[in-house]
Amino acid sequence: MQIIECFASNRKIYSLEEYDNSLIALITRTKSIQIFSPNKCKTLKNIYSDLLKEETTALAFHPKLDLMAIANGETLYIIEAKQHKILETIKTHDGDITLLSFVASAPYLISGTKNGRVIQYRYEGKIHISRLCSFPVNRAGYRTIIHDNYVSTIASNKQYVASSGHGGALTLVKFNSHAKKITFSVSESRINSIAFLNEKKIIFANIDGVIFIANIRKNAAIKKIHTQTNKIIKILPIANTAYALVISKSSSIMLIDTDKRKVIKDNFLTFKKEISSVVLFNENELLILFYNNTIQKVLLKSQSDLQEYLQKDELPKALQLIERNPFLSNTQEALKIESEYQKLSKKALMYLITSNNMKNLSLLKPFETIQSKKDDGKKIIQAHKNYQQFYQLFKDQKYALAYALAEKFPALKLTPLYQKMEAIYKKHFTQAQKKLLENRLEDAKDLLRPYMTIPSKKDLIHLLIYQNTEFISFIKALATKDYETVNKLIKQDKLLEEIPSYIALKEEQSQELQKIKVCIKEAQIELARKLLNKLSDASLFQEELESLKKQTQKAQELLDAYEKDDFITCYEILDEQSELEVMQLAQLLETHWNKLIDGCEIFALDGNIKSVQEKLGELILIKTRRDKIGDLLRLCFHSKIKDELNCGNFKSVENFIYSYIDIFGKDSEIKQLMHNYEKASHQKLAITTNNNEYKARDAWIESDFFTQQRYS
């Protein structure tokens, strides 16, 4: 990897932020921000602002647009950075803002407050859109007052906002529908880093060095990676791979495999200075800020580099690249490169065997600088020296000795002779199975006796010969498609999974299940049903089969509801069965919903309650999205009350406040508006006991006001 000394500053830099597609903002503790080009490794300009001061509590830049946000306590500013134009000034009342994060794919800014609240803003409007969640998560069924509350980290993708705070829980919310809010309460320690691995999977880490990986669904199994580091500050998934970089308060960067859930290298990158912040940009370039205010750029190699080496037939360079960058090892290019290398090794060995000419080993000479390949030439020479003995043992059918020789000199496994020996073993094993089923145990033993001492074969052969009751039960269960017994026996002895007939059947059924998934995705429901009926209950993947049956049924219900223009049912089915999101119809429905919400939010920011109701129409009744719809209706009232208050229309404000409390109850948002009204009007609101009650967030659906408006 190429490491470039990129920048040094005499100012204290405490953060790097991606900004405006290809730039980086260097944030200092003075009244200036340096806009930095990582490609040119130089500062392009400085942004000076009187808004940046000691009272500044949070700062964020939009990764794709020319926007920045500054929070000074409870006051939030949205700024066009290049022109330093203040677009919005928002007075908030949810506690000092300590964390800000723009959503790259939508016009939203997410804030975290010292009161533990996560608030969604639309940066064209001056009022928050939704309270997404609050920390600590209520685990015990009662409310607790926390004096040192916080939101520790926020991340987002195209659909979800993920956040964590006091108590260590992580909450995911779909910001456009609020359907299926998901909370993972697996860490009691502070979580400082969250990242989305893909649309279906999330990764996060706590300060104790435990990394958690989970699918984005309720009651998902949480997988853990225990590391030897603590104070993890950032996780950076590497695009198009199963790998991620883990950054902690140290002088090294860790590499992990998120599929295998293990640490690949504790010190994947090591530096002489302690790391302060890291940004991964252009998918394969790292910008690393150190505590001594210097910046280095590290160029990670990519799949395109491997492809280039393949095209130029430069295998040594390609293998060296894979060795230095393990995250490339599972790519299609890497697999092809390894295959080409094995062909070359086999060619060198066969040349040596047939011609006895050591010069042919020059084929492997260029690979001697590669750690994992440097001894392959010696192994081939050893294999060549022992080939005649190997051949004679094979010819004399002394397979145990031949296998032992191949284990000692692994390059012998590259020969056609070894492949032929493996084919003979599989044939004998299949014949032994038949003998056993015919109750001819001694004949089965005779067939497998030559292999009984071979380390890679003996355990399975021992199972067949000496635990033949279980083995016969297993084979018969496979033959009769009694997969309940098959799975039960496998739980008792995992060796049964190595039986060739079981491996072949498992692969065949796995392919069938994949076909069913494709049919559901393409709305070919009848074909999906036929394939399901073909598998029936006779499947090794019973749990997955039942899930696909349910998905097929729900997919048909979705199509039927769409045919009847019953869009309420369509959305409720999608929220209940998230696996259907891959269907084209589901994507069309969600695109329509997103446009709908986009328009409703603009109306709501203007306080236009009627237009929001008209735009939503019957969809206002969607049960699974009531949280989002309720937030839109609340926002209408908030906006209207503030506008009327600014105009001094106190009687109108009073009526709207009373209506709000009747519909939504007395929540923290209306309490602040009541305070503002009483301060401006010098009048006390007459709040009775009945309308002073707390109401559930979805209680608005039953209000008299809403019912009248709905049917008017």
Side-chain angles (χ1 to χ4, degrees):
M1 285 169 282
Q2 187 179 358
I3 298 177
I4 300 167
E5 294 291 341
C6 202
F7 188 73
S9 175
N10 55 8
R11 298 176 183 174
K12 178 61 181 174
I13 303 171
Y14 70 94
S15 182
L16 301 180
E17 293 276 342
E18 291 181 79
Y19 161 63
D20 200 15
N21 277 316
S22 61
L23 302 174
I24 300 291
L26 309 182
I27 301 167
T28 68
R29 295 195 183 276
T30 64
K31 289 186 178 182
S32 70
I33 297 168
Q34 294 169 276
I35 302 303
F36 179 79
S37 168
N39 293 324
K40 297 178 181 179
C41 278
K42 70 175 186 179
T43 301
L44 301 182
K45 65 176 291 186
N46 288 292
I47 297 175
Y48 297 94
S49 174
D50 290 335
L51 297 176
L52 288 166
K53 45 192 172 184
E54 291 298 321
E55 292 80 34
T56 298
T57 52
L59 180 65
F61 283 79
H62 197 293
K64 304 293 182 185
L65 304 174
D66 175 33
L67 288 174
M68 62 182 286
I70 296 173
N72 291 336
E74 292 191 334
T75 305
L76 179 59
Y77 303 93
I78 311 296
I79 300 167
E80 188 181 84
K82 287 177 183 173
Q83 301 299 321
H84 191 60
K85 179 183 177 183
I86 299 175
L87 303 177
E88 300 288 353
T89 301
I90 306 170
K91 299 290 186 180
T92 71
H93 303 283
D94 294 296
D96 285 354
I97 296 169
T98 56
L99 201 59
L100 288 169
S101 178
F102 281 97
V103 177
S105 58
Y108 298 124
L109 175 67
I110 313 298
S111 75
T113 75
K114 73 173 186 179
N115 292 349
R117 291 181 177 176
V118 180
I119 308 294
Q120 175 186 356
Y121 294 91
R122 187 178 179 110
Y123 45 71
E124 300 106 323
K126 297 184 180 182
I127 306 173
H128 75 253
I129 301 295
S130 299
R131 187 202 302 175
L132 297 178
C133 61
S134 297
F135 294 98
V137 170
N138 187 3
R139 300 182 187 182
Y142 56 87
R143 295 176 179 274
T144 55
I145 298 173
I146 303 295
H147 297 290
D148 57 345
N149 209 351
Y150 61 84
V151 177
S152 57
T153 183
I154 296 170
S156 60
N157 67 359
K158 291 180 180 179
Q159 291 191 71
Y160 287 93
V161 171
S163 56
S164 185
H166 194 289
L170 180 141
T171 296
L172 292 116
V173 184
K174 278 191 172 181
F175 51 75
N176 268 348
S177 69
H178 292 196
K180 279 194 171 181
K181 185 182 288 187
I182 303 166
T183 296
F184 298 129
S185 299
V186 291
S187 172
E188 294 185 358
S189 300
R190 182 185 177 108
I191 290 170
N192 277 344
S193 180
I194 302 172
F196 288 89
L197 292 172
N198 51 48
E199 291 181 2
K200 298 292 183 183
K201 195 175 285 188
I202 193 165
I203 185 168
F204 51 103
N206 65 20
I207 57 172
D208 296 330
V210 182
I211 298 171
F212 305 89
I213 301 169
N215 289 322
I216 302 174
R217 58 180 173 80
K218 282 192 174 180
N219 303 317
I222 310 292
K223 308 297 174 61
K224 298 179 183 180
I225 304 174
H226 293 272
T227 70
Q228 298 301 312
T229 187
N230 55 18
K231 297 182 180 177
I232 294 172
I233 56 176
K234 207 166 193 180
I235 299 175
L236 298 172
I238 300 173
N240 305 314
T241 76
Y243 293 85
L245 301 173
V246 178
I247 293 89
S248 59
K249 289 186 177 179
S250 67
S251 58
S252 62
I253 294 176
M254 180 187 295
L255 181 70
I256 62 170
D257 186 326
T258 61
D259 279 351
K260 295 178 181 177
R261 301 188 300 279
K262 67 176 185 178
V263 176
I264 302 300
K265 284 188 177 182
D266 283 309
N267 302 312
F268 174 63
L269 290 169
T270 302
F271 306 93
K272 294 179 180 179
K273 300 157 283 189
E274 190 172 335
I275 297 167
S276 172
S277 184
V278 179
V279 171
L280 177 62
F281 63 101
N282 295 338
E283 293 190 350
N284 59 359
E285 295 183 37
L286 284 175
L287 207 64
I288 303 170
L289 170 67
F290 299 97
Y291 275 105
N292 67 351
N293 305 312
T294 60
I295 295 174
Q296 287 184 352
K297 182 164 69 171
V298 179
L299 306 180
L300 303 176
K301 296 296 183 177
S302 65
Q303 286 176 256
S304 59
D305 295 296
L306 285 182
Q307 189 64 45
E308 185 180 340
Y309 288 143
L310 261 175
Q311 290 170 352
K312 293 180 179 178
D313 199 26
E314 295 179 338
L315 287 185
K317 288 184 178 179
L319 285 166
Q320 197 167 58
L321 178 58
I322 294 166
E323 190 166 82
R324 291 177 180 174
N325 299 268
F327 54 84
L328 295 173
S329 60
N330 291 329
T331 61
Q332 289 298 316
E333 291 83 359
L335 296 175
K336 188 173 181 181
I337 287 162
E338 184 60 32
S339 175
E340 291 298 314
Y341 175 75
Q342 290 301 321
K343 287 178 186 177
L344 197 65
S345 298
K346 183 177 178 180
K347 187 177 180 181
L349 176 59
M350 296 314 296
Y351 273 158
L352 193 56
I353 289 170
T354 54
S355 68
N356 203 26
N357 189 343
M358 299 293 284
K359 288 183 180 179
N360 292 310
L361 283 177
S362 60
L363 287 170
L364 300 180
K365 189 76 174 174
F367 301 92
E368 289 179 355
T369 57
I370 300 163
Q371 187 66 29
S372 60
K373 310 295 183 188
K374 66 178 184 178
D375 295 328
D376 285 3
K378 294 176 184 176
K379 291 175 183 176
I380 283 176
I381 293 171
Q382 291 172 337
H384 169 246
K385 288 179 180 177
N386 290 276
Y387 181 76
Q388 284 304 316
Q389 183 186 359
F390 181 64
Y391 173 77
Q392 193 60 47
L393 290 170
F394 172 81
K395 188 177 179 182
D396 295 340
Q397 297 185 10
K398 294 179 179 178
Y399 298 128
L401 294 174
Y403 271 109
L405 200 64
E407 288 296 324
K408 188 174 181 181
F409 305 108
L412 289 171
K413 295 179 182 179
L414 296 172
T415 63
L417 200 60
Y418 183 84
Q419 301 307 317
K420 191 173 181 180
M421 192 164 69
E422 280 283 88
I424 292 169
Y425 164 71
K426 288 178 183 176
K427 181 181 176 182
H428 284 174
F429 190 88
T430 303
Q431 289 173 344
Q433 281 183 219
K434 292 178 181 177
K435 301 291 183 189
L436 206 57
L437 290 171
E438 294 167 2
N439 205 23
R440 295 163 61 185
L441 178 59
E442 290 305 317
D443 291 342
K445 285 182 179 180
D446 289 341
L447 279 165
L448 296 177
R449 190 169 281 111
Y451 308 98
M452 285 183 179
T453 58
I454 300 168
S456 61
K457 319 284 187 191
K458 66 179 183 180
D459 289 342
L460 190 57
I461 292 171
H462 188 279
L463 178 66
L464 187 147
I465 299 299
Y466 298 107
Q467 292 173 255
N468 47 75
T469 303
E470 292 89 337
F471 191 91
I472 291 171
S473 298
F474 185 77
I475 297 300
K476 285 182 176 179
L478 278 176
T480 58
K481 298 183 178 180
D482 178 8
Y483 298 131
E484 185 178 345
T485 300
V486 167
N487 290 326
K488 181 181 176 181
L489 289 169
I490 283 175
K491 285 180 181 177
Q492 294 172 6
D493 198 327
K494 291 290 183 183
L495 270 175
L496 292 169
E497 290 183 311
E498 297 179 20
I499 294 173
S501 54
Y502 173 79
I503 293 170
L505 180 65
K506 190 175 180 181
E507 178 61 30
E508 179 188 335
Q509 291 192 356
S510 180
Q511 290 175 3
E512 290 297 307
L513 292 176
Q514 194 57 42
K515 287 179 186 176
I516 295 168
K517 290 177 184 178
V518 172
C519 288
I520 294 171
K521 180 180 179 180
E522 297 176 354
Q524 298 179 33
I525 306 305
E526 281 306 311
L527 182 54
R529 282 176 177 155
K530 286 178 182 178
L531 292 170
L532 282 166
N533 289 334
K534 181 181 173 184
L535 285 174
S536 185
D537 295 327
S539 173
L540 296 169
F541 306 92
Q542 199 58 43
E543 190 176 328
E544 191 170 356
L545 188 68
E546 290 301 320
S547 175
L548 287 172
K549 283 181 181 178
K550 184 178 178 182
Q551 286 178 45
T552 303
Q553 179 186 339
K554 290 295 180 181
Q556 185 62 64
E557 290 176 15
L558 177 66
L559 293 169
D560 292 343
Y562 185 73
E563 283 294 317
K564 297 173 185 175
D565 293 335
D566 183 0
F567 296 108
I568 293 174
T569 300
C570 284
Y571 285 111
E572 288 177 354
I573 289 170
L574 286 177
D575 293 337
E576 177 190 346
Q577 195 75 35
S578 58
E579 289 84 358
L580 298 182
E581 290 174 356
V582 296
M583 294 178 67
Q584 185 179 15
L585 174 57
Q587 292 168 10
L588 287 171
L589 286 167
E590 286 300 342
T591 298
H592 172 72
W593 175 263
N594 292 341
K595 288 180 180 177
L596 194 68
I597 293 301
D598 189 66
C600 284
E601 285 178 352
I602 292 170
F603 285 135
L605 289 166
D606 288 335
N608 194 335
I609 301 170
K610 186 178 179 181
S611 292
V612 169
Q613 289 184 266
E614 288 176 351
K615 194 165 186 66
L616 284 171
E618 65 171 2
L619 297 184
I620 205 167
L621 299 173
I622 299 173
K623 293 178 182 177
T624 51
R625 305 194 175 194
R626 277 184 187 169
D627 282 357
K628 179 61 182 177
I629 296 165
D631 281 347
L632 282 171
L633 297 173
R634 286 183 186 85
L635 180 58
C636 290
F637 277 87
H638 297 163
S639 302
K640 195 69 177 175
I641 290 168
K642 287 188 176 184
D643 286 345
E644 294 295 303
L645 194 59
N646 289 336
C647 295
N649 299 330
F650 297 128
K651 188 61 181 175
S652 177
V653 172
E654 186 178 356
N655 290 334
F656 273 113
I657 288 174
Y658 288 144
S659 295
Y660 184 97
I661 294 173
D662 285 340
I663 299 167
F664 303 108
K666 194 175 178 185
D667 54 31
S668 60
E669 289 89 350
I670 200 65
K671 285 178 184 177
Q672 183 60 48
L673 291 171
M674 289 166 62
H675 172 76
N676 293 348
Y677 163 79
E678 291 177 347
K679 185 177 179 181
S681 67
H682 305 291
Q683 297 178 40
K684 191 75 175 174
L685 288 161
I687 303 298
T688 65
T689 304
N690 289 337
N691 59 21
N692 198 25
E693 295 176 356
Y694 169 81
K695 291 186 178 183
R697 294 291 283 182
D698 62 353
W700 58 268
I701 196 78
E702 303 299 335
S703 71
D704 293 338
F705 172 85
F706 175 75
T707 304
Q708 292 166 12
Q709 292 291 316
R710 194 193 321 169
Y711 296 112
S712 61

